[in-house]
């Protein structure tokens, strides 16, 4: 059986949650209060994480798909498992397409989008073919470089003196409701609710006693990091510019100029984003493969090829990056993703809780 240790889990959760998140301005609809949106979404997402952990702790040695089958019954469990396989595949596709479009727009405009996405799929497929344990080890190796890179970018922002704190004012100009509307479910769905995929991996943790502590630590670490970069984007570009900018972080980084020689650091942020995209895309890809392997009796490598081919094919669904981003933020985050991140886990947690209560009552009745 594949096993992962606590450091591998921390690395995976941190890099997974970072993903492409720093590239966008989360909660930009709330204008100068976007940073408050991140705080509200992070706290609400933390409650959601507690729900996921409750489900896992009630079924320590099972993954999401085994839990669904066990708690919901074979027929309903199979239906929901199929739905999650498609959901994880779709999430993986979104990251694949984002990688291709970002590289295409920023650095390699003459390189075919199909080739860029194919390279990404092949790299992820290779990582998955080696198994969950090896993939987690690779991610652990990538973590120090990523943290150092973001720390370096943060220092460059501070030294470049492009920060204008007055752009954060007035605070709550239109009250708290615009903040809540932006946070729930939008910013919960991206990135905090995406942690649901870890229900497919948590059973592999060596020492499950530390599961909650490790997961919450990783979650809060990334939440604070995203809050910092959200604040930086707001104070560097202003809410007005952010509202019409597709990739705010890339634009902010291009404003860094120190001592007339240190500038044009966009390759650094692109490398960091690539690592995040690779980890997140591969994690969802692996989640889909694990789910499909639970349903059909085929070899892991064959399923990796089948799921990879499916992800690559649907990556061409959006005609361009603008449409891809629009459908993600206006449709997926508002209506589609909450079904898998909020409603099904809440229903599953309720079933687990009720079965526990009935089991206790049955034991008490039998004992008396």
């Amino acid at each position: 059986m594949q096993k992962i240790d606590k450091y591998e889990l921390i690395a995976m959760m941190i890099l997974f949650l970072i993903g492409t998140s720093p590239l966008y301005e989360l909660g930009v609809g709330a204008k100068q209060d976007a940073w408050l949106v991140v705080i509200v979404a992070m706290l609400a997402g933390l409650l959601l994480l507690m729900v996921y952990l409750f489900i896992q702790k009630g079924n320590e040695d099972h993954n999401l798909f085994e839990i669904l089958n066990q708690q919901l019954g074979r027929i309903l469990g199979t239906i929901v498992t199929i739905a999650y396989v498609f959901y994880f595949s779709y999430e993986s596709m979104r990251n694949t397409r984002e990688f291709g479009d970002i590289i295409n727009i920023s650095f390699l405009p003459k390189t075919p989008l199909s080739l860029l996405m194919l390279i990404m799929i092949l790299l992820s497929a290779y990582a998955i073919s080696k198994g969950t344990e090896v993939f987690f080890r690779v991610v652990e190796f990538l973590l120090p470089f990523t943290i150092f890179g973001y720390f370096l970018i943060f220092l460059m922002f501070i030294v470049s003196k492009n920060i204008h704190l007055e752009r954060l004012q007035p605070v709550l100009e239109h009250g708290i409701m615009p903040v809540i509307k932006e946070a729930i479910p939008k910013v919960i769905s991206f990135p905090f609710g995406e942690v649901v995929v870890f229900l497919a991996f948590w059973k592999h943790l060596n020492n499950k006693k530390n599961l909650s502590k490790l997961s919450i630590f990783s979650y809060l670490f990334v939440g604070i990091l995203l809050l910092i970069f959200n604040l930086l984007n707001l104070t560097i570009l202003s809410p007005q510019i952010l509202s019409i900018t597709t990739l705010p972080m890339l634009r902010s980084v291009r404003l860094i100029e120190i001592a007339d020689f240190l500038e044009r650091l966009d390759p650094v942020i692109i490398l960091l984003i690539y690592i995040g995209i690779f980890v997140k895309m591969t994690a969802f890809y692996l989640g889909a493969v694990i789910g499909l392997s639970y349903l059909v009796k085929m070899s892991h490598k064959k399923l990796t090829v089948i799921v990879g081919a499916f992800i690559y094919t649907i990556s061409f669904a959006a005609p361009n990056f603008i449409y891809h981003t629009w459908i993600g933020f206006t449709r997926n985050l508002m209506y589609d993703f909450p079904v898998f991140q909020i409603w099904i886990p809440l229903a599953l947690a309720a079933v687990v809780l009720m079965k526990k209560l009935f089991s206790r009552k049955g034991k008490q009745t039998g004992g008396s």
Side-chain angles (χ1 to χ4, degrees), residues 222-344:
V222 176
I224 293 169
L225 183 145
L226 295 180
L227 175 61
I228 290 169
F229 278 95
N230 237 47
L231 281 165
L232 287 171
N233 278 334
L234 280 169
T235 55
I236 292 169
L237 295 179
S238 84
Q240 292 73 28
I241 294 176
L242 285 171
S243 63
I244 58 172
T245 303
T246 307
L247 302 172
M249 178 58 74
L250 207 53
R251 187 162 181 172
S252 294
V253 167
R254 285 172 177 168
L255 294 176
I256 293 176
E257 186 175 333
I258 300 171
D260 295 324
F261 80 93
L262 188 56
E263 54 185 16
R264 297 295 294 180
L265 295 176
D266 15 343
V268 177
I269 196 67
I270 288 295
L271 177 60
L272 295 175
I273 293 299
Y274 168 70
I275 292 173
I277 289 178
F278 171 75
V279 171
K280 181 172 281 190
M281 179 263 177
T282 308
F284 278 122
Y285 184 175
L286 178 58
V289 170
I290 292 171
L292 192 58
S293 68
Y294 181 76
L295 294 172
V296 299
K297 303 298 180 184
M298 288 180 68
S299 70
H300 184 78
K301 289 187 177 180
K302 284 183 180 178
L303 292 175
T304 300
V305 172
I306 291 170
V307 174
F310 177 69
I311 292 170
Y312 182 70
T313 302
I314 62 175
S315 295
F316 296 95
N320 52 59
F321 184 57
I322 298 298
Y323 181 82
H324 174 81
T325 305
W326 176 81
I327 201 72
F329 281 95
T330 59
R331 171 72 197 183
N332 295 149
L333 299 186
M334 290 294 293
Y335 307 107
D336 303 327
F337 294 170
V339 173
F340 299 96
Q341 298 171 355
I342 301 173
W343 305 122
I344 293 178

